[in-house]
Amino acid sequence: MQRIINNPDDVVNEMLDGFAATHADLVARVPNNHRVLKYKQSPVPGKVGVITGGGSGHEPAFIGYIGENMLDAVAVGEIFSSPTAKSFTDAIKAADSGRGVAVLYGNYSGDNMNVKMAKIDADDDGIAVKSVVANDDVVSAPKSEPHKRRGVAGEIFMWKIGGARAALGGSLDEVIASAQKAIDHTRSVGIGLSSCTIPAVGKPNFFIKPGTMEFGIGHHGEPGLAITELKTADEMASLALEHILPDLPFAPGCEVAILVSGLGATPVNELYVFFRKVAEILQSQNINIHKSYVGNYFSSLDMMGVTLTLMKLDDELKQLLDIKCNAVALKQF
Amino acid sequence: MQRIINNPDDVVNEMLDGFAATHADLVARVPNNHRVLKYKQSPVPGKVGVITGGGSGHEPAFIGYIGENMLDAVAVGEIFSSPTAKSFTDAIKAADSGRGVAVLYGNYSGDNMNVKMAKIDADDDGIAVKSVVANDDVVSAPKSEPHKRRGVAGEIFMWKIGGARAALGGSLDEVIASAQKAIDHTRSVGIGLSSCTIPAVGKPNFFIKPGTMEFGIGHHGEPGLAITELKTADEMASLALEHILPDLPFAPGCEVAILVSGLGATPVNELYVFFRKVAEILQSQNINIHKSYVGNYFSSLDMMGVTLTLMKLDDELKQLLDIKCNAVALKQF
Amino acid sequence: MQTTVAYTPKHNPVNYFKNKEGAAIVRCIVRTIQANKDYLGSVDGEIGDGDHGVNMNKGFTMAGERLEDGHTFSEACRVVAQALMEDIGGSMGPLYGSFFKALWRHSKSLENISAENYGTMLQAATEAVMEIGGAKVGDKSLIDTLVPAYQAFQCALADKADFTQALQRSTAAAEAGKESTRALVAKIGRSARLGERSRGVLDAGAVSSFLILQALHGGIAASLQD
Amino acid sequence: MQTTVAYTPKHNPVNYFKNKEGAAIVRCIVRTIQANKDYLGSVDGEIGDGDHGVNMNKGFTMAGERLEDGHTFSEACRVVAQALMEDIGGSMGPLYGSFFKALWRHSKSLENISAENYGTMLQAATEAVMEIGGAKVGDKSLIDTLVPAYQAFQCALADKADFTQALQRSTAAAEAGKESTRALVAKIGRSARLGERSRGVLDAGAVSSFLILQALHGGIAASLQD
Ligand SMILES: Nc1ncnc2c1ncn2[C@@H]1O[C@H](COP(=O)(O)OP(=O)(O)O)[C@@H](O)[C@H]1O
Ligand SMILES: Nc1ncnc2c1ncn2[C@@H]1O[C@H](COP(=O)(O)OP(=O)(O)O)[C@@H](O)[C@H]1O
Ligand SMILES: [Mg+2]
Ligand SMILES: [Mg+2]
Ligand SMILES: [Mg+2]
Ligand SMILES: [Mg+2]
């Protein structure tokens, strides 16, 4: 395992130390819980709090989206493992200015359970908490079973939209409604070209044969829809869109935002090669691209691969997407 | 070769297509040369132009540093291969508002020759051109032979400082002086944990044995100072600083900016683990960290590894570093 | 490979163990999980993300460090519950956290824990896991181990078996339940999206819960008093 | 493995070739580079970055596509120079661009190119490479091939050798020069930072320049007129 780590069990704590030190202008720790980070200005008086949480290994997600007009706090779990209920509770407390807190997280059973427990605790403390569960990964379950679908990189759009609504003074219900709309309008798909290795495990728990790829892979290496021969970037883009477009559906004439993310070990130039074909296909189908994000936005440790996310825009989502934000991993003027 | 590409010979052109489409708000193409990109507003009236150029495969460098208060234009070469003299000339032309152009590039023999030729051409066109050659890689040659040292991630500081000086209305000589000062105050070192593969070559041209690492590796996989057993992140950070600190030297009481960059296949969390120790050591030596950048800023295709860069600050460099900028890969409010 | 941590069974066909001497039983669970770290990881690697061994080892080791010899069985269960819930998280924090919390809650006022008490505790603990996780028998999860285990224990008591026999029948049922997951298609957790691809291998949680029950029951059997 | 592209030598001990029939000679260079793409890449891989074959193949193939049968030798050299300088870049754009530009500049006004003319051209082309690149003999670069090649050619003429013999002696000197790089420590280019680690392998540019001269000289020899 060729990695830049010390004791594998310390990766998360040491990463958080480094992150908090690097971004001290934006991010702060909270008292008595080193697994929660918050926006330095949070709780922002009069603003609904927006938080998330999840396992580590997806950096810059989730902590990179802490900042102005995005996330107020993040509960941080072990690598690929949900944060504790206590951390979710502490993140909720760190974000609450009295107007309540929206917990915008991904559909994984650990997170579901821990958020459920945290909500009960926050309730005991008199904090109004509501949540939205992201389920943007189209191939993780059939369209008829959306509650089984995983949340993946589309969560970034959910945070951006929810964060912007809160920044504009929205009530808890309004923030929840906008975030829910964002994720309901969002679809993602992942393609894996290599496995990933949890440092403490020390070896990959699956293997992608050179010359093949795993279509529909999950953010933790969960097996996908099919193992196929390795395709060209253009073929990967077509295949991804073939699964994404009909699912919502994204019809000709509609407007979208696009997010192309590397999975951790993907050279950035290849993401642009992939994006090029996505844009070309959308153009040919008369789907208008309003804004695109290409980079390492939501990763899976050292996995080589790419995720494609589309959000179908209406006037509200467009306005909220365009609002300025200043998070570590997403800065818009 | 597990890569997201089409024809390997098309990677650079297709990457540029995707990049230009993604960042159309900031970046534009220039007429008749698809291997030059420019800041949409360039030439900025009354401002000295600031350009660079270099081989591809280092994304987000170099094109990602095009934008407000940073680079006006970039000449783009094949993967790991200098741009043509003509592209450097066209980048110079795209950046010139009449006050001259600073070419801030890295010390590689191809770039040296092509810039030399481009300067002659620009001269013929009556454009004042001066250049600074980055040579921040400490282990690439002894301190007594600075002209032999490679330019690596420290170039980003050179562009930031030169771009800021130009934005403040500096003359060509002033921009050159600030950029030269930036690179003279900057030292870098690279550590490689895996090889990288030029897509058109199809196989790595060197191999790093699992369980070992290459200390002092170059940005194109140029062999480094030594192959050692794979160290812990903390040991890597100490070793890197042992080479960087005495070279300038960075003495107790001084103030620095830090850049930690992944080489393309490095998980972001590991960069923070590495940074944590760098910060700890500097603190123990009473060296004050003014600002830090941690992420994939300057890569080497699919190489796993890390580079550490320190710039020693004085009042001028600090002021220029802190100035707002809006480039694709570097946004400061 | 699965590893069994040895304990010394005493042949006491008696019907209760002393709460205040029960910390050793919980220590035996901790050692079992530690010894099976790699095995649990490789089972989870088949259709999950491979971290079950690491997660479990971390949680139970942390609990082990906080266990004091003076702890009662109930208190020791509470220590485990807190370590899992407050310091580990993941899926196991809430699931096993709820399990051990229920064991604590339903035994904390008891001086001696009888077979009947234990039957109630095991059912409550299993139901707490179902309550937080929403899994049912057949979903390919730890529930496939836990439900047959508590049912077999209660049936044994209804059949007039003594505590030791009931523990043995429960452990056997747990093992059969664990083995049953091999043939199942996952309907819950990370592997639920695999459909048919999840058939043919054991479920990691079913394995770890069997190991926990095996250690727990062995430990209780060794502690039985007359 | 190094590959030699066949040409048909004519046995004409004469002393000039017609500029207007010389495009075929340049085509022979193009084919040689194409045939050695992988070999050049692997030589560059030893102590460089492995792209020399890809770079050279791209440049010369592009030039080959622009060559027209009506081109003179001089014009064909200019086409190569432009393709390398304007479309390829890298180190080879300026280096071989200057080389072929000098061949063009010093032959463009000639109808027939004599041995003496060629001697002058080869020296000028070598000096142009030294001028732009700054390398000297012994630095482990293409200069280690080119300098002995032009010097041997001129010595041969001074010894009253004919054009064919001079070409042969020049090619042999180029080959020896290329081989000499094996023992050298690189002082220029990407591998200059390796110090002792650069000793023991050939220099990629020294190899490609030998291949170019070999093809060029073979092509000229086959075109000699009386
Ligand atoms: N909702 C649930 N109810 C019961 N058991 C569950 C549930 N979700 C997951 N599990 C169990 O968790 C096990 C995996 O645990 P672990 O690997 O530690 O967590 P994760 O799946 O988050 O990586 C599965 O084998 C399954 O038995
Ligand atoms: N300044 C120079 N003068 C002469 N030859 C040089 C110079 N710099 C590099 N070379 C030659 O270039 C060769 C490498 O070419 P190539 O691999 O195409 O370029 P790069 O080194 O940029 O990857 C070296 O083997 C050496 O012969
Ligand atoms: Mg997990
Ligand atoms: Mg090169
Ligand atoms: Mg798991
Ligand atoms: Mg090379």
Side-chain angles (χ1 to χ4, degrees):
Chain A
M1 195 179 43
Q2 297 293 93
R3 304 292 275 275
I4 305 172
I5 56 173
N6 297 303
N7 182 335
D9 285 334
D10 297 334
V11 169
V12 174
N13 288 342
E14 293 183 349
M15 179 260 297
L16 290 175
D17 287 347
F19 188 89
T22 305
H23 306 292
D25 54 325
L26 271 179
V27 166
R29 311 202 83 136
V30 309
N32 302 323
N33 191 331
H34 62 293
R35 289 297 182 92
V36 175
L37 291 182
K38 73 172 193 93
Y39 174 42
K40 217 178 158 185
Q41 314 295 336
S42 293
V44 179
K47 189 182 85 71
V48 166
V50 179
I51 75 143
T52 191
S56 295
H58 302 296
E59 291 66 29
F62 302 73
I63 48 179
Y65 300 95
I66 294 173
E68 190 186 356
N69 295 356
M70 280 201 78
L71 298 174
D72 289 289
V74 168
V76 178
E78 257 315 305
I79 303 277
F80 287 4
S81 191
S82 175
T84 61
K86 185 169 184 314
S87 293
F88 273 112
T89 307
D90 288 342
I92 289 168
K93 287 182 186 163
D96 183 47
S97 74
R99 290 197 67 202
V101 176
V103 183
L104 311 180
Y105 71 102
N107 189 24
Y108 294 93
S109 81
D111 297 310
N112 283 325
M113 292 185 275
N114 286 298
V115 169
K116 186 167 157 183
M117 287 162 63
K119 277 165 116 172
I120 295 170
D121 287 349
D123 224 54
D124 290 349
D125 286 350
I127 305 176
V129 178
K130 298 197 171 180
S131 57
V132 178
V133 187
N135 58 347
D136 50 308
D137 188 339
V138 279
V139 305
S140 57
K143 196 174 155 82
S144 55
E145 298 181 293
H147 58 284
K148 284 197 179 168
R149 286 183 170 180
R150 295 183 287 250
V152 285
E155 296 181 35
I156 297 170
F157 284 145
M158 171 177 73
W159 302 327
K160 176 73 185 78
I161 299 298
R165 171 57 71 212
L168 292 181
S171 67
L172 179 56
D173 283 333
E174 287 166 344
V175 171
I176 290 292
S178 295
Q180 185 71 58
K181 187 196 225 181
I183 205 69
D184 287 346
H185 279 64
T186 297
R187 295 294 184 276
S188 299
V189 84
I191 301 175
L193 275 71
S194 86
S195 63
C196 58
T197 299
I198 298 175
V201 175
K203 52 179 197 289
N205 69 310
F206 65 108
F207 182 67
I208 295 179
K209 217 170 72 205
T212 68
M213 62 181 221
E214 180 124 9
F215 182 75
I217 199 162
H219 255 158
H220 311 85
E222 295 94 335
L225 205 61
I227 292 165
T228 70
E229 90 285 13
L230 181 62
K231 295 181 190 291
T232 66
D234 285 0
E235 289 165 350
M236 292 181 204
S238 316
L239 186 60
L241 284 174
E242 270 165 36
H243 283 80
I244 286 177
L245 294 181
D247 194 83
L248 194 65
F250 295 84
C254 80
E255 202 165 8
V256 296
I258 302 181
L259 178 86
V260 171
S261 180
L263 288 178
T266 317
V268 166
N269 55 12
E270 300 181 19
L271 300 177
Y272 286 109
V273 169
F274 177 85
F275 172 80
R276 178 185 161 277
K277 186 65 181 183
V278 170
E280 188 184 295
I281 295 172
L282 293 181
Q283 212 153 20
S284 77
Q285 303 207 7
N286 197 24
I287 294 173
N288 189 26
I289 304 172
H290 172 63
K291 216 188 198 89
S292 308
Y293 302 84
V294 178
N296 284 298
Y297 286 98
F298 203 125
S299 68
S300 303
L301 292 172
D302 59 337
M303 201 190 293
M304 164 69 190
V306 62
T307 60
L308 173 63
T309 301
L310 262 69
M311 176 166 66
K312 185 173 163 177
L313 300 173
D314 62 9
D315 287 344
E316 182 198 3
L317 292 176
K318 208 159 129 178
Q319 183 214 354
L320 295 173
L321 185 68
D322 288 348
I323 279 173
K324 161 187 160 154
C325 67
N326 186 14
V328 170
L330 195 73
K331 294 185 193 292
Q332 283 180 198
F333 284 79
Chain B
M1 194 180 44
Q2 298 293 91
R3 304 293 275 274
I4 305 173
I5 56 172
N6 298 301
N7 183 334
D9 285 333
D10 297 335
V11 169
V12 175
N13 289 341
E14 292 183 350
M15 177 261 293
L16 290 174
D17 288 348
F19 187 88
T22 305
H23 306 292
D25 54 327
L26 271 180
V27 167
R29 311 202 83 137
V30 309
N32 302 322
N33 192 333
H34 63 293
R35 288 297 181 91
V36 175
L37 291 181
K38 72 174 193 89
Y39 175 42
K40 218 178 158 186
Q41 314 294 337
S42 293
V44 180
K47 188 182 86 69
V48 166
V50 179
I51 75 145
T52 192
S56 295
H58 302 296
E59 290 69 26
F62 301 75
I63 49 180
Y65 300 96
I66 295 173
E68 190 185 356
N69 295 356
M70 280 202 78
L71 299 174
D72 289 289
V74 169
V76 179
E78 259 314 307
I79 302 279
F80 286 4
S81 190
S82 174
T84 62
K86 188 171 182 316
S87 293
F88 273 111
T89 308
D90 288 343
I92 290 168
K93 287 182 186 165
D96 183 48
S97 74
R99 291 197 67 201
V101 176
V103 184
L104 311 179
Y105 71 102
N107 190 23
Y108 294 93
S109 81
D111 297 311
N112 284 325
M113 292 186 272
N114 286 297
V115 168
K116 184 166 160 184
M117 288 162 63
K119 276 166 119 173
I120 295 171
D121 288 348
D123 224 54
D124 289 348
D125 285 352
I127 305 177
V129 178
K130 298 198 172 181
S131 56
V132 178
V133 188
N135 58 347
D136 50 309
D137 189 339
V138 279
V139 304
S140 57
K143 195 175 156 82
S144 55
E145 299 181 294
H147 57 283
K148 284 197 180 169
R149 287 182 169 179
R150 293 183 289 250
V152 286
E155 296 182 35
I156 297 170
F157 284 146
M158 171 177 72
W159 303 327
K160 176 73 185 78
I161 299 299
R165 172 56 72 212
L168 292 181
S171 67
L172 179 55
D173 282 334
E174 287 166 344
V175 171
I176 291 292
S178 296
Q180 185 71 57
K181 186 195 226 182
I183 204 71
D184 287 346
H185 280 64
T186 298
R187 294 294 184 276
S188 300
V189 85
I191 301 175
L193 277 71
S194 86
S195 63
C196 58
T197 300
I198 298 175
V201 175
K203 53 178 194 293
N205 69 309
F206 65 107
F207 182 68
I208 295 178
K209 219 170 73 203
T212 69
M213 62 181 220
E214 180 125 8
F215 181 75
I217 199 162
H219 255 159
H220 311 87
E222 294 94 336
L225 206 62
I227 292 166
T228 71
E229 91 284 13
L230 182 63
K231 295 180 188 295
T232 66
D234 285 359
E235 290 165 348
M236 292 183 206
S238 315
L239 186 61
L241 284 174
E242 271 166 35
H243 283 81
I244 286 178
L245 295 181
D247 194 83
L248 194 64
F250 295 83
C254 80
E255 200 166 11
V256 296
I258 302 180
L259 178 85
V260 171
S261 180
L263 288 177
T266 317
V268 166
N269 53 13
E270 301 181 19
L271 299 177
Y272 286 108
V273 169
F274 177 86
F275 172 81
R276 176 185 162 279
K277 186 66 181 182
V278 171
E280 189 184 295
I281 295 172
L282 293 181
Q283 213 151 19
S284 78
Q285 304 208 5
N286 196 25
I287 294 173
N288 188 26
I289 303 172
H290 171 64
K291 216 188 196 87
S292 309
Y293 302 85
V294 178
N296 284 297
Y297 286 98
F298 203 125
S299 68
S300 301
L301 293 171
D302 58 337
M303 202 190 293
M304 164 71 190
V306 63
T307 60
L308 172 64
T309 300
L310 261 70
M311 177 166 66
K312 184 174 164 179
L313 299 174
D314 62 9
D315 287 344
E316 182 198 0
L317 292 175
K318 209 159 130 178
Q319 182 212 356
L320 294 173
L321 185 68
D322 288 347
I323 281 173
K324 158 187 163 158
C325 68
N326 185 13
V328 169
L330 195 73
K331 294 183 194 293
Q332 283 179 200
F333 283 80
Chain C
M1 263 298 301
Q2 184 179 316
T3 309
T4 306
V5 173
Y7 59 92
T8 330
K10 298 188 209 146
H11 284 285
N12 277 350
V14 288
N15 277 326
Y16 71 90
F17 64 101
K18 289 197 172 148
N19 200 344
K20 80 167 190 292
E21 288 167 12
I25 300 172
V26 176
R27 276 203 202 283
C28 181
I29 297 175
V30 170
R31 285 196 303 273
T32 298
I33 292 301
Q34 289 168 332
N36 284 283
K37 178 184 168 192
D38 292 344
Y39 173 61
L40 291 174
S42 70
V43 175
D44 190 36
E46 299 280 347
I47 52 169
D49 58 357
D51 61 351
H52 190 58
V54 171
N55 294 344
M56 293 291 286
N57 181 62
K58 212 166 197 176
F60 281 83
T61 298
M62 194 173 278
E65 285 161 4
R66 295 180 194 167
L67 281 179
E68 294 167 18
D69 289 337
H71 279 148
T72 63
F73 175 79
S74 304
E75 284 163 353
C77 287
R78 189 185 199 184
V79 166
V80 172
Q82 283 177 336
L84 294 174
M85 278 183 167
E86 290 174 20
D87 296 296
I88 294 303
S91 304
M92 294 309 108
L95 291 169
Y96 282 126
S98 303
F99 184 84
F100 283 94
K101 200 167 171 182
L103 291 183
W104 162 69
R105 191 179 287 131
H106 290 85
S107 64
K108 63 177 196 261
S109 58
L110 304 173
E111 191 178 326
N112 294 323
I113 299 172
S114 69
E116 283 66 30
N117 294 145
Y118 183 69
T120 307
M121 285 157 60
L122 193 55
Q123 176 170 358
T126 302
E127 284 170 355
V129 176
M130 293 173 82
E131 160 75 22
I132 183 79
K136 300 177 304 295
V137 169
D139 286 352
K140 193 162 184 142
S141 80
L142 31 116
I143 294 306
D144 292 305
T145 299
L146 296 177
V147 166
Y150 92 76
Q151 288 177 343
F153 189 91
Q154 293 180 338
C155 289
L157 294 192
D159 293 351
K160 308 279 179 235
D162 64 24
F163 203 160
T164 305
Q165 290 165 332
L167 288 168
Q168 282 165 351
R169 277 161 65 178
S170 174
T171 307
E175 181 152 28
K178 174 202 82 171
E179 287 297 328
S180 78
T181 63
R182 206 186 283 278
L184 293 173
V185 170
K187 298 229 168 53
I188 202 143
R190 203 174 285 289
S191 37
R193 287 92 179 189
L194 298 188
E196 280 301 323
R197 284 168 77 175
S198 67
R199 205 194 290 278
V201 293
L202 290 172
D203 173 66
V207 173
S208 62
S209 55
F210 164 67
L211 292 170
I212 288 171
L213 289 183
Q214 193 182 34
L216 178 57
H217 292 181
I220 293 174
S223 311
L224 291 182
Q225 314 274 328
D226 57 352
Chain D
M1 265 296 301
Q2 183 179 318
T3 309
T4 307
V5 172
Y7 58 92
T8 331
K10 294 189 210 146
H11 283 285
N12 278 350
V14 288
N15 278 325
Y16 71 90
F17 66 99
K18 289 199 170 143
N19 199 344
K20 81 168 193 287
E21 286 168 14
I25 300 171
V26 177
R27 276 203 203 284
C28 181
I29 298 174
V30 170
R31 286 196 302 274
T32 298
I33 293 300
Q34 289 168 332
N36 284 284
K37 177 184 169 190
D38 291 345
Y39 174 61
L40 291 174
S42 69
V43 176
D44 189 36
E46 299 279 347
I47 53 168
D49 57 358
D51 61 351
H52 191 57
V54 170
N55 294 343
M56 293 292 285
N57 180 62
K58 213 168 198 176
F60 281 83
T61 298
M62 194 173 278
E65 285 162 3
R66 294 178 194 168
L67 281 180
E68 292 168 19
D69 289 336
H71 279 146
T72 63
F73 175 79
S74 305
E75 284 163 354
C77 287
R78 188 185 201 186
V79 166
V80 172
Q82 284 178 335
L84 293 174
M85 279 182 166
E86 291 173 20
D87 296 297
I88 295 304
S91 304
M92 293 307 110
L95 292 170
Y96 282 126
S98 304
F99 184 84
F100 282 93
K101 201 166 170 184
L103 290 182
W104 163 69
R105 193 179 284 132
H106 290 85
S107 65
K108 65 177 195 261
S109 59
L110 305 172
E111 193 177 325
N112 294 323
I113 299 173
S114 69
E116 283 67 28
N117 296 147
Y118 182 70
T120 307
M121 285 157 59
L122 194 54
Q123 177 170 0
T126 302
E127 285 170 356
V129 175
M130 293 173 83
E131 160 74 23
I132 183 81
K136 299 177 302 296
V137 170
D139 286 354
K140 194 162 185 144
S141 79
L142 31 116
I143 294 305
D144 292 306
T145 299
L146 295 178
V147 166
Y150 93 76
Q151 287 176 342
F153 189 89
Q154 293 179 338
C155 289
L157 293 193
D159 294 350
K160 306 285 179 229
D162 65 22
F163 203 159
T164 304
Q165 289 165 332
L167 288 169
Q168 282 165 350
R169 278 161 64 178
S170 174
T171 307
E175 182 151 26
K178 174 202 82 174
E179 287 297 326
S180 77
T181 62
R182 206 185 284 276
L184 294 172
V185 170
K187 298 228 169 54
I188 201 143
R190 201 174 288 288
S191 35
R193 287 94 179 188
L194 297 189
E196 280 301 323
R197 283 169 77 176
S198 67
R199 206 193 289 279
V201 294
L202 291 172
D203 173 66
V207 173
S208 63
S209 55
F210 164 65
L211 292 170
I212 288 171
L213 289 183
Q214 192 182 36
L216 178 58
H217 292 179
I220 293 175
S223 310
L224 291 183
Q225 313 275 327
D226 59 351

